[in-house]
Amino acid sequence: MANAQLFHSAKQSATLPAALAHNAEGAPAYALTPRHQLAQYAATGCLNTTFYASADAQLAKVIELCQAVEPAFIAQTAVYCRERGYMKDMPALLVAVLAGQGAVEFAPAFQRVINNGKMLRNFVQIVRSGVIGRKSLGSRPKKLVQAWLNGASEQALLAAAVGNSPSLADVVKMVHPKPGDAWRAAFFAWLIGKPYDAAALPPTLAAFEAYKLDPAQAIPAVPFQMLTALPLNAQAWAQIARQGGWQMVRMNLNTFARHGVYDIAGMPELIAARLCDPAAIASSRVFPYQLMSAYLAAGDKVPRIVHAALEQALEISLANVPRIAGKVVVCPDVSGSMASPVSGFRGSATSNVRCIDVAALVAAAMLRKNPDAMVLPFEHSVVQCALGADDSVMENAARLAAIGGGGTNCSAPLLRMNGRKELADLVIYVSDNESWIDAKRSGATATMGQWNVFKQRNPQAKLVCIDIAPHATTQAMERGDILNIGGFSDDVFRIIAAFAAGQLDPAHWVGEIAAIDIAARGC
């Protein structure tokens, strides 16, 4: 008698839609809808060269997708990626596209997305580059930029004054804001190098000018980059650390070590307490992987108490990782392409965190909240890796990330589970989705075929595919029991929890984005 299981599976797989698109490896895949593609690129793309696409190719693809998607969804995607995905360049680009289109959604999207000086300078840079079809700001964008400048606080303006291409001074010269108060007029004059009324300077800027004349005075609470050209001793750097924002402290731990800050009594403890403050972590909008990056980058001269605080901060930042009812399986991709930087190649500024680190971090975090979860790392096939549910997220993530290498075979974990007749309620993939080892000449992808077999044994099971790279295809087609989602923020975990609980509408992640009211007050 013929193998009933084999031919039964083949018959069932034949009912699945054929994979008519191709991924970056040239292997069969399912094309995401234009809306979904735009969301995927916006939530994961940093407009830098990745393993599979150049920065120029990403930019061209996003501009192309914006022609195929209605302006309202472009605006909703920009708001989602800024407020929930914590992205910077992509939301600014989408708002610039809306400006170029003259869309009515431009103004409310601008007011939600362009929420600090860095975003303002990004927006102006993108428009002036000509990528949206023109190089001038135009009257509406100019008025909104003027309104931002005339409404920003002194601290927001000082923060915005750090950085170039364009600098805040360049922006002021472009739009000629008409300030309504004396301190702002003096600030703008100081900024662009024109004569100003020193008596009208706002207090922090006045303190900065006074400090330059007399360093014996208290260090002003200005961005530390404004002070680095001045001769600063360890005590001065310690004061900078005390005054700095949470993100500034996280990013300058080695700088503090070089300037002797940790040699001052009480400073290691103060910095450690700042780093693991739950309220500061929540308000900082930090990616968990950025804490991993800080932990990995902290040198030997950074005290152990600070290293420990970073590890604790990482655990705190993962508070939104859900505890899922039932059996959970997490499948992190550890193939060779996952060794590329998660935010793309940026020369000397390239992140030391790779896609594989993010995949490992997600898997380790899910294991921490779901101790009975099964973790199946894969490349050509499933790779064995000893993990401990009671171990720290950092420890387990490091073990997973140390595997690395080989081709991508997204169907391997499902094939393994089907061979062993495993039962599960939720299967989560974290991958760049560029499967090619299991490529078929025709029909459904191997992943869909194996999922179909898995569903026969687990009819209520759901599949989540987290893609952490900017792509337009998937190995598992979107449908009621399959969620495709992109990004690195903890909002991904929230959506997974809602999907597992049956609380998402049929449009899944795209539906979440489309439900955003861009006219509402921002987060």
Side-chain angles (χ1 to χ4, degrees):
M1 179 179 176
N3 186 321
Q5 177 64 35
L6 174 64
F7 288 103
H8 179 67
S9 299
K11 179 180 178 181
Q12 291 293 325
S13 296
T15 66
L16 295 171
L20 302 179
H22 291 86
N23 62 22
E25 289 283 3
Y30 296 99
L32 299 169
T33 66
R35 278 180 157 202
H36 203 140
Q37 289 183 39
L38 181 63
Q40 177 66 32
Y41 271 83
T44 61
C46 298
L47 295 175
N48 298 306
T49 298
T50 66
F51 188 89
Y52 286 106
S54 67
D56 289 341
Q58 285 186 55
L59 174 61
K61 183 65 176 179
V62 171
I63 297 295
E64 174 191 329
L65 288 168
C66 285
Q67 305 308 312
V69 171
E70 66 276 19
F73 189 76
I74 297 173
Q76 290 164 327
T77 302
V79 170
Y80 174 88
C81 290
R82 180 63 185 143
E83 294 183 352
R84 301 189 203 173
Y86 314 152
M87 302 297 280
K88 301 179 182 70
D89 294 349
M90 277 291 187
L93 171 61
L94 295 180
V95 172
V97 168
L98 291 170
Q101 293 178 345
V104 297
E105 293 83 1
F106 164 62
F110 180 99
Q111 290 161 352
R112 291 279 290 273
V113 172
I114 310 303
N115 55 4
N116 62 35
K118 168 65 174 170
M119 293 299 294
L120 183 79
R121 292 189 292 105
N122 281 356
F123 170 78
V124 172
Q125 178 186 10
I126 291 168
V127 173
R128 296 281 290 176
S129 73
V131 299
I132 63 169
R134 72 183 194 200
K135 289 192 174 182
S136 65
L137 283 177
S139 58
R140 272 209 307 167
K142 182 177 179 180
K143 288 180 180 178
L144 286 170
V145 172
Q146 289 172 335
W148 191 95
L149 292 168
N150 286 325
S153 67
E154 180 193 6
Q155 287 300 324
L157 289 170
L158 284 169
V162 174
N164 296 297
S165 302
S167 66
L168 187 66
D170 294 331
V171 175
V172 169
K173 291 174 184 177
M174 285 180 207
V175 302
H176 306 292
K178 295 179 174 55
D181 35 35
W183 77 261
R184 201 177 299 271
F187 184 103
F188 291 152
W190 169 87
L191 184 70
I192 62 177
K194 287 192 173 183
Y196 59 87
D197 179 2
L201 286 177
T204 305
L205 183 56
F208 173 66
E209 288 298 310
Y211 181 79
K212 288 195 296 183
L213 296 174
D214 180 12
Q217 298 188 31
I219 295 178
V222 297
F224 82 98
Q225 294 92 333
M226 295 175 64
L227 299 165
T228 53
L230 305 176
L232 301 173
N233 58 25
Q235 290 291 343
W237 274 102
Q239 186 59 35
I240 290 171
R242 292 188 192 98
Q243 295 174 177
W246 189 91
Q247 287 279 27
M248 177 269 181
V249 171
R250 174 187 70 83
M251 296 172 67
N252 288 279
L253 299 177
N254 289 327
T255 301
F256 298 151
R258 287 195 301 273
H259 292 284
V261 171
Y262 301 121
D263 297 330
I264 298 173
M267 284 308 298
E269 292 77 11
L270 184 148
I271 290 174
R274 288 277 304 279
L275 287 173
C276 58
D277 174 25
I281 293 168
S283 64
S284 71
R285 295 185 167 189
V286 63
F287 289 125
Y289 85 78
Q290 290 174 315
L291 284 162
M292 173 187 273
S293 176
Y295 183 88
L296 296 174
D300 294 339
K301 293 184 179 179
V302 175
R304 177 57 199 160
I305 190 175
V306 176
H307 283 269
L310 283 171
E311 195 162 6
Q312 185 179 348
L314 176 62
E315 300 275 353
I316 294 170
S317 76
L318 293 166
N320 285 344
V321 176
R323 184 173 181 85
I324 306 292
K327 180 70 173 180
V328 177
V329 180
V330 189
C331 309
D333 182 350
V334 296
S335 64
S337 63
M338 295 287 284
S340 61
V342 69
S343 53
F345 295 94
R346 298 183 294 168
S348 60
T350 297
S351 170
N352 63 345
V353 178
R354 306 160 298 166
C355 291
I356 193 173
D357 296 313
V358 175
L361 183 60
V362 171
M366 291 298 298
L367 178 63
R368 189 59 179 271
K369 287 294 185 74
N370 301 272
D372 296 329
M374 179 189 301
V375 180
L376 299 177
F378 69 94
E379 32 144 280
H380 280 83
S381 57
V382 172
V383 182
Q384 296 299 320
C385 184
L387 304 175
D390 294 328
D391 293 336
S392 73
V393 169
M394 192 74 77
E395 288 172 326
N396 281 330
R399 290 170 191 153
L400 284 165
I403 304 172
T408 308
N409 182 356
C410 285
S411 63
L414 289 168
L415 179 63
R416 157 83 170 265
M417 289 190 287
N418 285 333
R420 299 187 179 189
K421 295 183 169 53
E422 299 278 6
L423 302 178
D425 300 283
L426 181 68
V427 179
I428 302 173
Y429 275 74
V430 194
S431 173
D432 62 7
N433 237 346
E434 298 299 324
S435 192
W436 58 274
I437 294 293
D438 55 357
K440 300 169 67 177
R441 291 185 179 180
S442 61
T445 62
T447 299
M448 279 303 296
Q450 290 298 327
W451 179 245
N452 209 40
V453 175
F454 189 83
K455 286 284 288 186
Q456 294 168 38
R457 195 172 58 259
N458 302 273
Q460 302 304 314
K462 294 182 178 179
L463 175 63
V464 174
C465 300
I466 306 174
D467 196 333
I468 55 178
H471 297 127
T473 64
T474 178
Q475 290 295 297
M477 58 180 289
E478 188 90 348
R479 65 184 199 188
D481 61 335
I482 299 175
L483 166 67
N484 284 282
I485 184 170
F488 328 106
S489 75
D490 60 3
D491 197 61
V492 171
F493 294 123
R494 182 189 65 80
I495 292 178
I496 290 173
F499 177 66
Q503 296 169 352
L504 289 188
D505 69 22
H508 294 349
W509 183 40
V510 170
E512 283 277 301
I513 297 172
I516 292 173
D517 179 1
I518 62 168
R521 184 180 179 85
C523 296

